[in-house]
DNA sequence: AACTCGGGGGC
DNA sequence: GCCCCAGAGTT
């Protein structure tokens, strides 16, 4: 039996019952694929449920405000996915009359959709023979075939894409694609793969050579930068605080945060106090500054470690601008801010 | 080709 | 502490 058939057989016996596996509606499949980019099923699943419930059709998503979409995305990370999702929904409604594109070449034109996602949608929804290459595929194929080409190079991508395209069952591309991914996620795991029950344990090159833990090969990890964030939490007599929208490039684009003072090292009370008093926000107000968390919260992102302190600014009067405490949960915020808001309990 | 973009979980 | 996750966009 060939590898494709064996993968599909394994999948038939071992697949999880997941909500997006009970539909071929391209809108739902698209939602699931965007949500699952760089995201494990257990983390993404509740977001899939809330998005399909809140936006049952592409028209509902297109008609929403971006802030509402970001709020629903809050906590999932990689927020450009949510912004691109929303922009593409508008494009589908306005330019395509609400009809989802039905070929790989048209699907990949959507913002936020690359080779992987276009291949997944084209195969699952439209039966196109387009092989997916994701982290699971890299891992499974690199081990079974003993391929040590680095996966995060264009050469590596082409090599694995070509191999996957050769393996895919042209009669059931959707099942094959989901089978190889499920196989990578559940059996051929990064750590402690279940080789004992693997259907390929007699042919797996990596297993025979005892180099399972060396594959797949990935080139150099990026080094992590430290940043020092000081968030200024204003508290006014009329129960208001200040949130600002993050603009420009960088992390958390279009999400909200307390006014931020970034320093090049851990800042003292004196330093922050002098900078806070210079903020236009507090001109003409008497303020009292106090530190909320003496020990910095270390918020770890893939490429940054954020050493974070929250500073409380008590005002002895009202704020003309600012938002009411009761409205604070309407705003999409990074989980770092969200955790503070929850704990502070405005 | 290298860098940027989140947050959670396994070990 | 390091690596990975149903990757894509920008430089």
């Amino acid at each position: 039996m060939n590898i494709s058939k064996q993968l599909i057989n394994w999948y038939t016996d071992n697949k999880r019952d997941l909500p997006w596996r009970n539909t071929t509606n391209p809108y739902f499949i698209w939602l699931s694929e965007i949500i699952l980019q760089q995201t494990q099923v257990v983390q993404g699943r509740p977001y899939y449920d809330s998005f399909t419930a809140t936006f049952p059709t592409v028209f509902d998503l297109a008609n929403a405000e971006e802030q509402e979409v970001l709020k629903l995305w809050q906590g999932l990370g990689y927020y450009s996915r949510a912004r691109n999702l929303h922009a593409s929904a508008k494009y589908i409604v306005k330019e395509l009359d609400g009809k989802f594109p039905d070929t790989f070449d048209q699907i990949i034109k959507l913002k936020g959709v690359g080779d992987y996602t276009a291949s997944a949608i084209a195969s699952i929804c439209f039966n196109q023979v387009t092989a997916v290459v994701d982290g699971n595929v890299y891992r499974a194929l690199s081990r079974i075939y003993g391929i040590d080409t680095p996966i995060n190079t264009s050469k590596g991508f082409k090599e694995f894409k070509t191999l996957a395209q050769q393996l895919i069952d042209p009669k059931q591309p959707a099942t094959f694609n989901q089978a190889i991914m499920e196989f990578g996620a559940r059996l051929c795991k990064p750590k402690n793969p279940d080789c004992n029950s693997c259907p390929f344990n007699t042919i797996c090159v990596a297993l025979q050579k005892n180099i399972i833990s060396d594959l797949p090969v990935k080139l150099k990890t990026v080094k992590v930068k430290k940043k020092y964030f000081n968030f200024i939490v204003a508290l006014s007599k009329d129960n208001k605080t200040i949130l600002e929208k993050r603009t420009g490039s960088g992390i958390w684009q279009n999400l909200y945060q307390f006014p931020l003072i970034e320093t090049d090292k851990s800042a003292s009370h004196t330093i922050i106090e002098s900078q806070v008093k210079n903020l236009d926000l507090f001109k003409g107000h008497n303020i009292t500054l106090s530190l909320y968390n003496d020990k910095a919260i270390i918020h770890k992102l893939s490429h940054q470690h954020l050493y974070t302190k929250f500073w409380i600014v008590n005002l002895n009067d009202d704020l003309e601008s600012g938002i009411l405490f009761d409205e604070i949960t309407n705003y999409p915020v990074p989980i770092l801010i969200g955790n503070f808001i929850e704990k502070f309990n405005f």
Side-chain angles (χ1 to χ4, degrees):
Chain A
M1 200 179 346
N2 61 35
I3 288 182
S4 174
K5 282 282 193 294
Q6 285 182 285
L7 275 172
I8 289 174
N9 286 346
W10 178 89
Y11 178 63
T12 302
D13 294 339
N14 294 281
K15 70 176 180 180
R16 291 167 285 183
D17 182 21
L18 300 172
W20 48 86
R21 287 189 174 149
N22 300 318
T23 179
T24 56
N25 180 329
Y27 169 66
F28 290 138
I29 298 300
W30 173 52
L31 273 179
S32 74
E33 295 298 345
I34 301 299
I35 287 170
L36 292 172
Q37 286 170 3
Q38 291 294 288
T39 303
Q40 300 198 139
V41 166
V42 287
Q43 187 187 3
R45 183 172 180 165
Y47 287 83
Y48 176 83
D49 292 337
S50 60
F51 266 82
T52 52
T54 306
F55 308 119
T57 73
V58 71
F59 298 96
D60 300 310
L61 180 56
N63 288 335
E65 293 298 320
E66 182 182 89
Q67 181 165 328
E68 186 185 0
V69 179
L70 284 172
K71 183 64 191 178
L72 209 55
W73 199 272
Q74 180 176 308
L76 196 55
Y78 284 162
Y79 296 93
S80 66
R81 292 185 292 173
R83 299 192 301 270
N84 287 334
L85 186 76
H86 187 225
S88 292
K90 287 178 171 294
Y91 164 76
I92 291 169
V93 167
K94 283 188 176 176
E95 306 296 331
L96 306 181
D97 203 24
K99 181 178 178 298
F100 206 92
D102 59 2
T103 65
F104 176 92
D105 291 336
Q106 295 300 315
I107 296 168
I108 203 171
K109 289 179 180 174
L110 300 175
K111 282 186 183 177
V113 173
D115 188 278
Y116 162 76
T117 304
S119 300
I121 298 172
S123 62
I124 294 171
C125 304
F126 305 110
N127 244 13
Q128 273 197 276
V129 187
T130 48
V132 295
V133 177
D134 73 333
N136 295 306
V137 175
Y138 280 127
R139 190 168 53 254
L141 295 183
S142 67
R143 287 173 175 172
I144 294 172
Y145 288 89
I147 301 169
D148 62 359
T149 311
I151 60 173
N152 54 342
T153 61
S154 56
K155 181 172 183 286
F157 170 75
K158 288 174 188 169
E159 185 172 349
F160 283 94
K161 177 80 179 182
T162 300
L163 177 55
Q165 194 64 36
Q166 288 169 355
L167 290 173
I168 190 171
D169 184 342
K171 292 179 184 169
Q172 34 186 345
T175 306
F176 173 85
N177 276 340
Q178 295 182 80
I180 192 170
M181 289 191 285
E182 187 82 338
F183 174 80
R186 305 265 290 173
L187 194 156
C188 199
K189 297 172 291 183
K191 306 282 186 186
N192 301 323
D194 191 8
C195 299
N196 286 331
S197 58
C198 179
F200 307 111
N201 58 14
T202 59
I203 65 166
C204 180
V205 173
L207 182 59
Q208 290 169 4
K209 292 184 175 177
N210 196 25
I211 54 172
I212 289 282
S213 60
D214 299 329
L215 296 175
V217 173
K218 200 173 190 177
L219 293 180
K220 49 181 176 257
T221 59
V222 295
K223 90 173 185 189
V224 177
K225 294 173 185 168
K226 290 184 181 179
K227 291 193 171 187
Y228 297 87
F229 279 8
N230 299 275
F231 288 114
I232 309 304
V233 183
L235 304 176
S236 72
K237 288 297 181 192
D238 55 345
N239 293 326
K240 286 181 178 174
T241 188
I242 299 168
L243 285 183
E244 297 174 340
K245 187 173 184 174
R246 289 184 65 97
T247 57
S249 59
I251 58 173
W252 303 331
Q253 191 180 359
N254 294 5
L255 273 67
Y256 288 78
Q257 67 181 14
F258 300 106
L260 171 62
I261 296 174
E262 185 174 353
T263 53
D264 58 358
K265 60 181 195 295
S266 184
S268 66
H269 189 282
T270 309
I271 296 286
I272 297 301
E273 185 171 46
S274 67
Q275 295 205 30
V276 166
K277 286 183 172 172
N278 279 331
L279 293 177
D280 288 338
L281 291 170
F282 304 124
K283 280 285 192 290
H285 295 275
N286 283 322
I287 65 170
T288 308
L289 179 72
S290 60
L291 178 57
Y292 177 75
N293 56 316
D294 185 42
K295 191 172 182 179
I297 296 166
I298 307 175
H299 187 67
K300 296 181 178 181
L301 308 179
S302 341
H303 55 298
Q304 297 178 26
H305 286 182
L306 309 178
Y307 289 71
T308 308
K309 290 181 179 175
F310 291 91
W311 300 84
I312 310 300
V313 170
N314 278 99
L315 306 176
N316 65 345
D317 53 4
D318 294 346
L319 269 174
E320 290 185 21
S321 59
I323 64 163
L324 289 167
F325 295 162
D326 290 343
E327 297 172 348
I328 199 167
T329 54
N330 295 338
Y331 293 83
V333 297
I335 205 65
L336 173 62
I337 303 292
N339 288 342
F340 170 82
I341 290 172
E342 190 171 337
K343 191 170 177 183
F344 192 73
N345 198 9
F346 285 86

